[in-house]
Amino acid sequence: APQNYDVVIVGSGGAGLAAAIQAHDEGAHVVIIEKMPTIGGNTIKASVGMNAAETRFQKIKGIEDSKELFYEETLKGGKFKNNPELLREFVELAPEAIEWLAAKEIELNDITITGGMSIDRTHRPEDRSAVGGFLISGLVKNVNKRDIEVLLETSVAEILYENGAVTGVKVVDEYNDSRILNAKSVIVATGGFSANREMVVKYRPELDGFVTTNHKGATGSGIAMLQKIGADTVDMGEIQIHPTVEQTTSYLISESIRGGGAILVSQAGKRFYNEMETRDKVSAEIIALPEKSAWVIFDEQVRANNKAADEYIAKGFVLSAPTPEELAVKLNMNPVALTETLERYNLFVVEKKDEDFGRTTALRHPLNKGPFFAIRIAPGVHHTMGGVVINTDTAVLDAQKQPITGAWAAGEVAGGIHGANRIGGNAVADIIIFGILAGRNAAALAKR
Ligand code: ADP
């Protein structure tokens, strides 16, 4: 016999977990369906943090910021392709989302910066560790505390739709048995499609052969299922490549390393671009180098301020040496070139002016304290900005811009918020902000 719920949540990344918690707290009977054997989706790999402007934690640190500036910088970073209503809502609700998390003992009270932003507004855990693991473990604790049901190794194969409204889902479990779950609201929080090479290449043929930073489950199945019941899509060709991916492991080297003061250097031992530019631009400059790769270079001070750096060292792909000259030798690089590059950059830090490439942010301190570190990187497929069309209630829209009753979407599966280029720190903000909204609205519909 079919089981009955108020709200079915498809996907256990940040968007799905936030939605489930909120819907439960609104009094709905909810279930989370996850096709992989573990919870957390691609969110668990999120590195740098969660952007928000005018937050309590910024105030405590004396950081002056405005929602308006956050809006403008995100729009500019997205090449003015972002959906203005969604972006407005996003910027408006971001500080509340930071507080929503804090109230659940998920405090993001340390603050850093990412490419394309002019102000420290990327919120991260106090110990400066990667945000993804911290966020997922905190959300899972909240899910468990509420006894919210989670079905792992179970995928949603179809969203059921009858007489103009969603009626539930068909799920297939690990034994390949399928059954029906009834629900008036289905929240699709299945993430993006970066790990679906066929789909990526369909929209962007030139990305064939690129590695991806994403987990295996990022296949875009939610988009296909929603299209089947009439959902419209937007910006499907807007696929972000992240500039700094370690190629042997597909491991993402967090923007927080550059945000903490690291630079990018070519095989010739020279800087070649403003490291704090947006991801699309930095990626393009790396691909334009003869070797199509570059080195992230940092010193002991950067390492000491960033937990992620120790994680990379433990993974075994960081080269290090007591002096820049010795490091250069290890990189098959001209030692004089690297030493000169560091000296020149250090001068810019002191003068607070990058005369070569106009870097204005994260000129933290001179890179002059050994040991020195290097990681070889090149771009990789990282985020799919496009997806299904939603309105500011997270209702999924059809081609006539009409909501499909009972269909909700939040997180990377939805398109429009980031336009043509997502800013680092805006994906975590996206999933929490719109996850909460989806949970609230889906619960309200189900209880009507
Ligand atoms: P977001 O960042 O938007 O929350 P994530 O990638 O973190 O997205 O999480 C999406 C989750 O949805 C992943 O764990 C993925 O395995 C899961 N998922 C994707 N498609 C399905 C499906 N058809 N049925 C169940 N789970 C799915």
Side-chain angles (χ1 to χ4, degrees), residues 9-18 32-46 136 151 153-158 170-172 188-193 214-223 225 383 410-414 427-428 430-432 435:
I9 292 112
V10 194
S12 71
L17 297 176
I32 302 170
I33 315 292
E34 171 55 57
K35 69 174 176 180
M36 303 299 281
T38 51
I39 291 190
N42 209 59
T43 302
I44 209 162
K45 301 179 112 189
I136 293 298
L151 304 177
E153 289 184 87
T154 304
S155 39
V156 170
E158 198 182 335
K170 182 173 135 187
V171 298
V172 180
V188 179
T190 48
F193 60 93
N214 278 217
H215 86 134
K216 276 204 300 234
T219 58
S221 68
I223 299 175
M225 287 192 290
H383 188 97
E412 197 175 342
V413 69
V428 173
D430 175 4
I431 62 182
I432 301 302

Side-chain angles (χ1 to χ4, degrees), residues 70-89:
F70 182 23
Y71 179 90
E72 280 164 20
E73 291 180 352
T74 299
L75 197 60
K76 180 162 177 258
K79 301 179 192 167
F80 300 92
K81 225 180 159 182
N82 320 51
N83 174 317
E85 285 94 48
L86 287 177
L87 183 57
R88 216 21 109 189
E89 182 96 338

Side-chain angles (χ1 to χ4, degrees), residues 153-166:
E153 289 184 87
T154 304
S155 39
V156 170
E158 198 182 335
I159 300 168
L160 305 174
Y161 180 84
E162 250 174 73
N163 303 324
V166 165

